Amino acid sequence: DAKDQHADGTEQIHVAQRVQRQTPLRFCRGITQPQRNKAVSTFVKRNGQQHDDVRKDLQEEPVKCLIIDYEEQDGLWEVYDWVRGNMADDVDCFHSCAQYLEIVPKGMNKGEAVKMLCAMMNVPIEDAVAVGDAANDLTMIEAAGIGVAMGNAPEKIKAIADEVCGHVSEDGIYHYCVNHGLIRNADA
């Protein structure tokens, strides 16, 4: 890791952590410290953890790089485009919501998890139903025999799904499951 001192006294830390044992994360995006912005504060509140120097607190190699920006999502799209253009053979990159960009080792995704779970349970993948509403659900929706997008999912997800159910705020997955005989109506 290298550091550059800025005129305002903050340090620019270039993160070059490995995302898996064999594949180094070659993309470096500066993280300004000791700056505490709203995004970091919100994340800490949600997760109950605070790290002054994440690198020192790591007990093992990270399996995911999560970039959060509640204020300027355009920057996340720049990183997304760069990673997809320069590291597509090594990592997968997706938004789990508008403010979160995730970078993970190639093949570490919900689609692969559904395939593994089906194999472990001796269930044909064609019999699996996967429901999602964000870009990190895309591989799962594609892998399952029936991929369902929530009504609140982005259009890109809905376009790939086999079916679209109701909005999450309207219990869309519950109604989908009842209507398709996967569960019984709680009122019946």
Side-chain angles (χ1 to χ4, degrees):
D1 295 343
K3 295 182 182 182
D4 298 323
Q5 193 72 25
H6 290 274
D8 65 1
T10 61
E11 289 179 330
Q12 191 80 6
I13 300 172
H14 303 283
V15 180
Q17 294 285 356
R18 296 174 64 86
V19 293
Q20 65 181 30
R21 289 188 180 102
Q22 302 301 316
T23 307
L25 177 61
R26 294 182 300 265
F27 178 72
C28 299
R29 187 75 170 180
I31 302 172
T32 304
Q33 287 193 348
Q35 174 183 329
R36 294 252 321 153
N37 62 27
K38 187 169 100 180
V40 172
S41 297
T42 301
F43 184 79
V44 169
K45 276 186 206 172
R46 287 182 183 166
N47 294 284
Q49 299 174 356
Q50 179 174 343
H51 300 278
D52 294 322
D53 187 345
V54 173
R55 295 166 303 149
K56 289 181 184 175
D57 294 337
L58 287 175
Q59 300 296 312
E60 56 192 50
E61 293 289 335
V63 293
K64 172 169 73 172
C65 176
L66 174 63
I67 304 170
I68 303 170
D69 195 335
Y70 284 97
E71 297 162 8
E72 300 275 336
Q73 281 84 48
D74 289 345
L76 293 178
W77 283 106
E78 288 177 34
V79 175
Y80 174 87
D81 290 341
W82 190 95
V83 170
R84 297 286 298 220
N86 293 283
M87 299 179 66
D89 292 341
D90 300 323
V91 298
D92 286 325
C93 184
F94 48 81
H95 287 340
S96 48
C97 69
Q99 299 85 7
Y100 289 14
L101 178 65
E102 299 185 33
I103 303 170
V104 298
K106 193 75 170 173
M108 181 184 287
N109 57 57
K110 292 181 181 184
E112 292 302 316
V114 167
K115 291 175 189 175
M116 289 174 60
L117 183 61
C118 284
M120 287 172 44
M121 296 182 70
N122 236 4
V123 173
I125 192 77
E126 301 81 32
D127 293 343
V129 176
V131 182
D133 66 354
N136 63 338
D137 298 322
L138 187 62
T139 56
M140 175 179 68
I141 289 170
E142 290 176 323
I146 300 173
V148 182
M150 298 294 297
N152 55 291
E155 291 304 316
K156 177 181 178 182
I157 305 302
K158 290 178 185 177
I160 289 170
D162 300 305
E163 299 182 43
V164 177
C165 68
H167 195 282
V168 69
S169 66
E170 299 165 348
D171 298 325
I173 191 168
Y174 168 78
H175 293 292
Y176 176 87
C177 291
V178 168
N179 293 338
H180 288 81
L182 301 173
I183 61 173
R184 283 188 230 142
N185 186 336
D187 298 329

